[in-house]
Amino acid sequence: MDENTTSIFSFVPADRYEMPAEPKTEAARSGLKALWKRFQRSQPQPETINIHAELHSISQQILDRVSPPPDWKEMQAALSAALQGWLASEHPEHAVQVVIGPPGSGVRQVLESIAEEFGWHVIDSPAPEEVLKNGRKWLEKLRGVHRNDCVMPVLEDFYLRHHNGLDLLRELVKYLKESPRKCLIGCNSWAWAYLSRTIRIDSFLPAPLALQALNATALQQWFRSLASVPVNCCLVFRQSDNGAEIISLAEKMPDAKAETRTGQQGNDTKDEPEILKRISARSRGIPLVAWAVWRNSLQIAGDETVDIDVQKAAAEDRGVTIWVKPWGSIELPDIPQGIVRSETIILHTILLHAGLPEESILRMLAFPADELARGLTHLAAHGLIKREKGIWRVSLSGYPAVRQHLYNEGYLVDAF
């Protein structure tokens, strides 16, 4: 981050979290869409779609240059600033500090980076079998090694939604309240909502912090900072239906620094591009969810689909023009009309644990194995979930649709 710019990331008390504003047209569209889906619930199930076919019209190599995965250093600095007093104190008022975040918020990565920076011990998660056996042996082991300040980046790994799955967490909370050692805890927002409902964890631990949602202004600055621009090259993101400039990167052009600086100051007073407002609202301001939608919107080899008049707008661009699809053309995963109740339960269970292996889902839901496998396959085919290293997770680009579906169906949802 440039020393003259202000960080786009800030951590605030969770009860002061503010959702990004939703464009009026998007709010109306979302409401009508939800109503239409409920009306069509009894209609025949549509054919499976290939959600990935349209989403990668830009090569992976170029995509990783113009919108690479974030390294979280700026967010780590923001959390360190928010916790400055607590980190510096040898005897803070509360030995425990909690940070919660929805999927794609980067909380786990940031807490692990802070542990590395301060040399704190990272508490590894127990195996699911230990969780179901009340975890006494695991706690005894923890008491043996917990002699210094520590970081526990994934609290959701310490419980399972099972009749034997909460004993370890109850004992862990008691232990942490009595321990004089400082402990920085990260927790998935869905698990926090569930644990607050079931064991009132929010009554036992201090009020958590949360990453403030990213609005359109923050997204514009963040996407600009992520892009890697070769020396003596310029990159311009333009909307493919009207040629409007969304983001321009000319910082590394030797003769363009003054121009860029002036342009950035001008951006402070002009309205942000509509598509960034929509991405902010659709992603609920969650960094990686917004990043996934942004990447899905990019294309470079689409000149044949761009109107000649629009291409004229880019004719004077110095460098490479990256076309951004208009909002209505960005294809994102959506809930299939024929989704069955067991599949909705699968989605909810996966979110409550921030991802699970198939055997753990089977153990908790007690579905027939073939029914579970069929449901996972169906949801994956629609791009709503994906399997990474044996763990089923809700996909970043599918998360907004999944969350809205669970909310519409009356399931417990998080606060973000």
Side-chain angles (χ1 to χ4, degrees):
M1 181 182 65
D2 190 289
E3 61 182 6
N4 296 320
T5 61
T6 303
S7 174
I8 61 170
F9 297 111
S10 63
F11 284 83
V12 298
D15 58 1
R16 297 185 194 168
Y17 179 88
E18 294 181 2
M19 286 287 296
E22 187 172 20
K24 292 180 180 178
T25 52
E26 179 66 10
R29 190 192 66 82
S30 298
L32 289 172
K33 188 176 180 181
L35 183 63
W36 179 246
K37 278 181 171 293
R38 293 177 72 86
F39 181 75
Q40 286 196 318
R41 190 64 47 82
S42 61
Q43 296 299 311
Q45 187 172 343
E47 294 182 0
T48 300
I49 62 171
N50 182 3
I51 192 65
H52 303 289
E54 176 65 18
L55 301 184
H56 295 98
S57 55
I58 186 171
S59 76
Q60 190 67 37
Q61 185 179 13
I62 296 176
L63 193 59
D64 287 342
R65 292 293 297 272
V66 301
S67 184
D71 62 13
W72 304 114
K73 288 181 181 177
E74 191 177 346
M75 192 188 296
Q76 179 188 343
L79 182 57
S80 294
L83 295 174
Q84 186 176 16
W86 184 81
L87 289 168
S89 175
E90 292 186 5
H91 303 289
E93 180 182 0
H94 300 290
V96 173
Q97 178 64 60
V98 182
V99 182
I100 59 177
S105 60
V107 166
R108 174 177 183 162
Q109 296 91 328
V110 170
L111 263 60
E112 289 175 343
S113 297
I114 286 182
E116 184 176 356
E117 177 184 353
F118 288 87
W120 288 13
H121 180 64
V122 175
I123 304 297
D124 294 327
S125 303
E129 292 72 21
E130 290 179 298
V131 173
L132 295 176
K133 292 178 182 176
N134 71 38
R136 286 177 181 167
K137 289 185 178 179
W138 186 90
L139 281 171
E140 290 174 4
K141 183 179 174 183
L142 174 64
R143 291 187 177 95
V145 301
H146 186 202
R147 297 188 177 90
N148 299 304
D149 299 334
C150 69
V151 171
M152 198 173 291
V154 278
L155 189 66
E156 58 269 22
D157 283 354
F158 291 74
Y159 89 101
L160 288 171
R161 195 176 65 168
H162 184 276
H163 60 275
N164 291 328
L166 290 170
D167 294 342
L168 169 58
L169 193 60
R170 289 192 178 98
E171 294 299 319
L172 177 63
V173 170
K174 290 180 184 176
Y175 168 74
L176 291 173
K177 283 180 64 67
E178 297 168 356
S179 173
R181 303 297 182 191
K182 288 193 292 187
C183 185
L184 181 58
I185 297 175
C187 186
N188 171 269
S189 58
W190 289 73
W192 186 261
Y194 176 76
L195 295 172
S196 296
R197 175 77 64 88
T198 53
I199 66 170
R200 300 300 307 276
I201 193 171
D202 54 337
S203 299
F204 293 101
L205 298 180
L209 294 177
L211 177 69
Q212 185 56 274
L214 301 183
N215 59 22
T217 303
L219 288 181
Q220 190 177 43
Q221 185 175 330
W222 190 44
F223 293 154
R224 179 189 289 121
S225 69
L226 287 178
S228 175
V229 184
V231 175
N232 295 326
C233 183
C234 178
L235 199 62
V236 181
F237 295 80
R238 290 187 180 276
Q239 191 158 316
S240 61
D241 61 340
N242 58 19
E245 180 180 307
I246 297 172
I247 296 174
S248 176
L249 295 97
E251 289 87 340
K252 295 186 178 180
M253 292 285 286
D255 59 344
K257 291 183 178 178
E259 174 188 336
T260 301
R261 192 172 296 114
T262 300
Q264 287 176 339
Q265 290 171 347
N267 286 344
D268 291 338
T269 58
K270 73 179 184 182
D271 202 16
E272 298 82 8
E274 180 72 9
I275 190 169
L276 294 181
K277 293 179 183 177
R278 289 177 177 268
I279 292 177
S280 174
R282 172 77 174 187
S283 68
R284 307 178 67 82
I286 303 169
L288 281 185
V289 177
W291 172 78
V293 176
W294 173 245
R295 281 167 63 99
N296 282 347
S297 75
L298 304 180
Q299 59 183 36
I300 191 171
D303 286 0
E304 67 277 7
T305 65
V306 178
D307 187 86
I308 293 178
D309 290 337
V310 174
Q311 291 187 45
K312 289 179 180 177
E316 296 182 0
D317 287 346
R318 301 161 64 191
V320 179
T321 301
I322 301 293
W323 295 106
V324 180
K325 301 172 189 172
W327 180 251
S329 298
I330 302 174
E331 192 170 352
L332 297 171
D334 205 352
I335 301 297
Q337 293 177 9
I339 189 170
V340 296
R341 184 168 178 269
S342 61
E343 292 169 347
T344 299
I345 295 173
I346 291 170
L347 290 171
H348 194 231
T349 302
I350 290 175
L351 276 178
L352 290 183
H353 295 83
L356 284 169
E358 188 166 338
E359 55 269 26
S360 291
I361 302 174
L362 188 62
R363 178 183 288 160
M364 280 186 284
L365 299 184
F367 289 165
D370 60 340
E371 182 179 354
L372 175 60
R374 190 165 52 247
L376 291 170
T377 301
H378 186 216
L379 295 170
H382 283 269
L384 297 171
I385 61 173
K386 61 190 302 185
R387 192 176 186 179
E388 299 172 325
K389 299 179 180 178
I391 305 294
W392 284 103
R393 303 184 194 280
V394 172
S395 68
L396 292 170
S397 55
Y399 176 73
V402 172
R403 189 191 186 284
Q404 187 63 47
H405 172 65
L406 294 173
Y407 174 80
N408 292 342
E409 294 297 312
Y411 285 75
L412 174 68
V413 298
D414 72 349
F416 305 94

